[in-house]
Amino acid sequence: MAYLSNKKEEADRIVLSFLPEESGYDKTLLKAMNYSVKVGGKRLRPILLLSFARMYGATEADAAPFMAAMEFIHTYSLVHDDLPAMDNDMLRRGNPTTHAAFGEAMGILAGDGLLSEAFTIISHQVLKQVALDQIKGIRAAKAFQIIAEKAGINGMVGGQSLDVESDKDKRDVTEDELEYIYENKTSALLEAAMMAGASLGGADEADIELIRKAGSALGKAFQIRDDILDITGDEKTLGKSVGQDEKNQKSTYASIHGIEESEKTVKGLTDEACGYIKQLSGVKNEEEREFVIELFGSLTERNN
Amino acid sequence: MAYLSNKKEEADRIVLSFLPEESGYDKTLLKAMNYSVKVGGKRLRPILLLSFARMYGATEADAAPFMAAMEFIHTYSLVHDDLPAMDNDMLRRGNPTTHAAFGEAMGILAGDGLLSEAFTIISHQVLKQVALDQIKGIRAAKAFQIIAEKAGINGMVGGQSLDVESDKDKRDVTEDELEYIYENKTSALLEAAMMAGASLGGADEADIELIRKAGSALGKAFQIRDDILDITGDEKTLGKSVGQDEKNQKSTYASIHGIEESEKTVKGLTDEACGYIKQLSGVKNEEEREFVIELFGSLTERNN
């Protein structure tokens, strides 16, 4: 999917342009923050946000601050998740984690800095849009509301919390609890990116609800693929340690249901997610719809 | 100052009404968050926010979500600051700190949850106000922008970062660095509360700049009073350990300049802060102006 590499470059360009300059008395903090974002990942959330924004007729300029904010929030969640008191991971994407490179205190503060900066960037955009005109203001405020909600206790932080609690108690989670963790720890920020993008283009409530369902199914498929790769994957291709779930006696969908059934579930969830996208009624840009459907497939079939 | 105890009760009622219900799979997280907020403090930031809002003609309903958000952000900053990798404090306000009561991972997540919830509360209010009318939308978005900025890398998190760095290096900070730490670690959130409140009432840029200066001077006076109390204070009255700065070989304004000069500086900064408040030209409610001036005095003369 060569097209995806262009999309990643585009997202990289936009996200990195929002990084703070590394100067002043808090230079170490800014370096740790920028390091965390720069080493990083697939840029999946900003790519999705931009695609859904364009799908409904919004522009790159409308989407850019929210793209950066989503990537900063996703990055902060990884930085805090890697801390010694949490997953205690020293390696991510083949590089030292933030606390491994900058120390534990700076790992905590870099995460706090990224989350705060995400909302600072959003605040400037919301204020600008409200001052411009009320419709644009409502759309930006809606995107802000979706992102804040899905990042917090009714989303990502909530999911992390149950994950941490069940790890601490060294107990097997129930199927319902596992569903809650996947929905909140993984799906929530994907849903947020897609829903916020669509909101910027003025998508109606019915379409936003379909997009939420698509994000929820995609996130679960994505997470189960992660579980499968932790069992069958190759450390070099993945750029991270494998066999971690078994080592930590962590129940996952794949460990409970086995590889074969998990593969089927991933396929089913991906089809479900694509089905919702096909149902969207207010789409203005069909190319973006096609891209998103293609992207969903490539994400859940990935080997890294 | 009996009037202040009414103001504290009022702020308590409003702030606590925004706490999440302790139910669902992330109940432990919600308990940890609510514990952190409930044990707490003077409610100084919400009191200031409400007073400045009223001073410019805004209502309690306009201010309430921002009051809760400010207190949640202040609380998260304490919860993370108390963590083992940071100040490693087990006691605050006479009670176990959040990580002491709920474990280190939950301390990190409770802080993350509080910061996210602060912006979630703000997002609902901004969206509501923008949908109501553009002027109200601009005022709420402005308050959001001020709070986000002062909470992050150009404010509180920035100040924490230099404080942590200089502690780690076991080196004496320069006067300029100390000024930076006090301005960002302590003043920033006080400024934010005061400026955001005034913004909700539509204060003009000149008044907001005077209010920023007042908050800056107040924060420094407040912090130097803290330094003095760490040397001369009484553990029982303070509800926290004293002599911590000396024990940690931490340079403070009071340790550098001595008690007598520090007392003079506190007096000078308090007068300066009150002077700015007296200069404000758009005040609609003189009672609130008088209350704020009285409050400044009582805060910098306090013994707890």
Side-chain angles (χ1 to χ4, degrees):
Chain A
M1 202 175 172
Y3 190 39
L4 183 56
S5 121
N6 293 340
K7 293 270 188 181
K8 184 182 173 311
E9 272 172 36
E10 183 178 39
D12 259 329
R13 173 179 56 76
I14 294 168
V15 169
L16 300 181
S17 75
F18 283 88
L19 289 180
E21 202 190 320
E22 293 172 9
S23 64
Y25 284 126
D26 56 350
K27 193 157 63 180
T28 310
L29 170 75
L30 304 174
K31 278 187 179 169
M33 287 167 57
N34 291 356
Y35 170 82
S36 322
V37 175
K38 279 181 192 161
V39 293
K42 303 179 183 65
R43 310 296 185 212
L44 185 52
R45 291 150 200 82
I47 290 173
L48 283 168
L49 195 145
L50 183 57
S51 268
F52 277 87
R54 284 178 173 153
M55 209 185 286
Y56 287 87
T59 64
E60 180 187 315
D62 296 328
F66 294 96
M67 293 168 67
M70 278 306 312
E71 190 66 8
F72 287 12
I73 292 171
H74 170 60
T75 305
Y76 120 80
S77 80
L78 302 180
V79 171
H80 278 189
D81 197 35
D82 287 336
L83 284 168
M86 307 275 283
D87 282 359
N88 196 21
D89 278 321
M90 302 301 278
L91 208 63
R92 180 177 286 276
R93 298 163 184 157
N95 292 290
T97 51
T98 305
H99 74 89
F102 292 87
E104 194 176 340
M106 215 33 85
I108 297 167
L109 288 174
D112 294 347
L114 284 167
L115 181 56
S116 307
E117 189 62 10
F119 286 114
T120 302
I121 291 168
I122 290 178
S123 75
H124 286 283
Q125 180 69 2
V126 170
L127 183 56
K128 201 174 111 185
Q129 298 298 87
V130 180
L132 226 59
D133 87 61
Q134 198 186 14
I135 298 285
K136 287 212 154 211
I138 290 172
R139 289 176 180 184
K142 188 90 198 284
F144 164 36
Q145 192 253 298
I146 290 165
I147 292 170
E149 191 90 38
K150 295 280 179 193
I153 57 178
N154 299 316
M156 193 272 293
V157 178
Q160 289 279 32
S161 137
L162 180 59
D163 198 23
V164 159
E165 277 296 289
S166 56
D167 277 1
K168 199 187 73 182
D169 303 346
K170 292 271 171 228
R171 67 176 173 82
D172 288 338
V173 290
T174 64
E175 289 262 354
D176 280 355
E177 288 174 327
L178 200 61
E179 165 93 18
Y180 176 88
I181 293 170
Y182 286 14
E183 170 60 38
N184 288 287
K185 189 171 168 166
T186 310
S187 294
L189 291 188
L190 294 169
E191 292 167 29
M194 294 159 55
M195 293 162 73
S199 290
L200 293 175
D204 67 19
E205 289 302 321
D207 272 13
I208 288 188
E209 177 58 15
L210 285 169
I211 292 168
R212 189 194 62 72
K213 286 179 177 170
S216 171
L218 175 71
K220 276 168 212 151
F222 191 83
Q223 185 58 53
I224 298 171
R225 171 62 59 206
D226 249 15
D227 300 344
I228 296 172
L229 289 171
D230 191 67
I231 298 170
T232 65
D234 170 86
E235 218 147 294
K236 217 171 136 192
T237 318
L238 283 170
K240 66 178 181 185
S241 321
V242 297
Q244 292 298 302
D245 296 332
E246 198 185 343
K247 199 179 110 194
N248 300 323
Q249 297 176 287
K250 199 180 170 91
S251 302
T252 67
Y253 190 91
S255 76
I256 296 170
H257 296 274
I259 302 292
E260 203 178 332
E261 195 184 323
S262 298
E263 289 281 5
K264 271 187 211 156
T265 306
V266 168
K267 175 86 178 62
L269 286 165
T270 308
D271 290 346
E272 188 189 328
C274 293
Y276 294 130
I277 300 303
K278 286 174 193 158
Q279 286 176 52
L280 297 173
S281 63
V283 169
K284 290 180 186 156
N285 182 331
E286 289 297 337
E287 267 178 46
E288 294 294 341
R289 183 185 338 229
E290 280 163 39
F291 166 71
V292 161
I293 289 171
E294 207 185 330
L295 176 61
F296 283 8
S298 80
L299 284 172
T300 57
E301 281 157 24
R302 78 204 146 87
N303 60 6
N304 67 16
Chain B
M1 204 177 174
Y3 191 37
L4 183 57
S5 120
N6 293 340
K7 293 269 188 181
K8 183 181 174 310
E9 273 172 36
E10 182 177 39
D12 260 329
R13 173 179 54 76
I14 294 169
V15 169
L16 300 181
S17 76
F18 283 88
L19 290 179
E21 202 190 319
E22 294 172 10
S23 65
Y25 283 127
D26 57 349
K27 192 158 63 179
T28 311
L29 170 75
L30 303 174
K31 276 186 181 170
M33 287 167 58
N34 292 356
Y35 170 82
S36 321
V37 175
K38 279 181 192 161
V39 293
K42 304 180 185 64
R43 309 295 184 210
L44 186 52
R45 289 149 200 85
I47 290 172
L48 283 168
L49 196 146
L50 182 57
S51 267
F52 277 87
R54 285 177 172 154
M55 209 185 286
Y56 286 88
T59 65
E60 180 187 313
D62 297 327
F66 294 96
M67 293 169 67
M70 278 306 312
E71 190 66 8
F72 287 11
I73 292 172
H74 169 61
T75 305
Y76 120 80
S77 80
L78 302 180
V79 171
H80 278 188
D81 198 35
D82 287 336
L83 285 168
M86 308 275 282
D87 282 357
N88 196 21
D89 278 321
M90 302 302 278
L91 209 64
R92 180 176 285 276
R93 298 163 184 157
N95 292 289
T97 52
T98 304
H99 73 88
F102 293 86
E104 195 177 340
M106 215 35 84
I108 296 167
L109 288 173
D112 294 348
L114 285 166
L115 180 56
S116 308
E117 188 61 10
F119 286 114
T120 303
I121 292 168
I122 290 178
S123 75
H124 286 283
Q125 180 68 3
V126 170
L127 183 55
K128 201 174 111 184
Q129 298 298 88
V130 181
L132 226 59
D133 86 62
Q134 199 186 13
I135 299 285
K136 286 212 156 211
I138 289 172
R139 289 176 181 183
K142 187 89 198 287
F144 165 35
Q145 193 253 298
I146 290 165
I147 292 170
E149 190 89 37
K150 295 281 178 191
I153 57 178
N154 299 315
M156 193 273 292
V157 178
Q160 289 279 32
S161 138
L162 180 59
D163 198 22
V164 160
E165 277 296 288
S166 55
D167 277 1
K168 198 186 75 182
D169 302 346
K170 291 274 171 224
R171 67 177 173 81
D172 287 337
V173 290
T174 64
E175 290 263 351
D176 280 355
E177 288 174 328
L178 200 62
E179 166 92 18
Y180 177 88
I181 293 171
Y182 286 16
E183 170 59 38
N184 289 287
K185 190 171 167 166
T186 310
S187 295
L189 291 188
L190 294 168
E191 292 168 28
M194 292 159 57
M195 292 161 74
S199 290
L200 294 174
D204 68 19
E205 289 302 322
D207 271 13
I208 287 187
E209 176 57 14
L210 285 168
I211 292 168
R212 190 194 62 72
K213 286 180 176 170
S216 171
L218 175 72
K220 277 168 212 152
F222 192 83
Q223 186 59 53
I224 297 171
R225 171 62 60 207
D226 249 16
D227 300 344
I228 296 172
L229 289 171
D230 191 67
I231 298 170
T232 65
D234 170 85
E235 218 147 292
K236 216 171 135 190
T237 319
L238 284 170
K240 65 178 182 187
S241 321
V242 299
Q244 292 298 304
D245 296 331
E246 199 185 342
K247 198 178 110 194
N248 300 324
Q249 297 178 286
K250 199 178 170 92
S251 299
T252 66
Y253 190 92
S255 76
I256 296 169
H257 296 275
I259 302 292
E260 203 178 331
E261 196 185 324
S262 298
E263 289 279 5
K264 269 188 212 158
T265 306
V266 168
K267 175 83 176 64
L269 286 165
T270 308
D271 290 346
E272 188 189 328
C274 294
Y276 294 129
I277 300 303
K278 285 174 193 157
Q279 285 176 54
L280 298 172
S281 62
V283 169
K284 289 180 186 154
N285 183 329
E286 288 296 336
E287 267 178 44
E288 293 294 340
R289 178 176 354 219
E290 279 163 41
F291 166 71
V292 161
I293 290 171
E294 207 184 330
L295 176 61
F296 283 8
S298 81
L299 285 172
T300 58
E301 280 157 25
R302 77 204 147 88
N303 59 7
N304 66 18

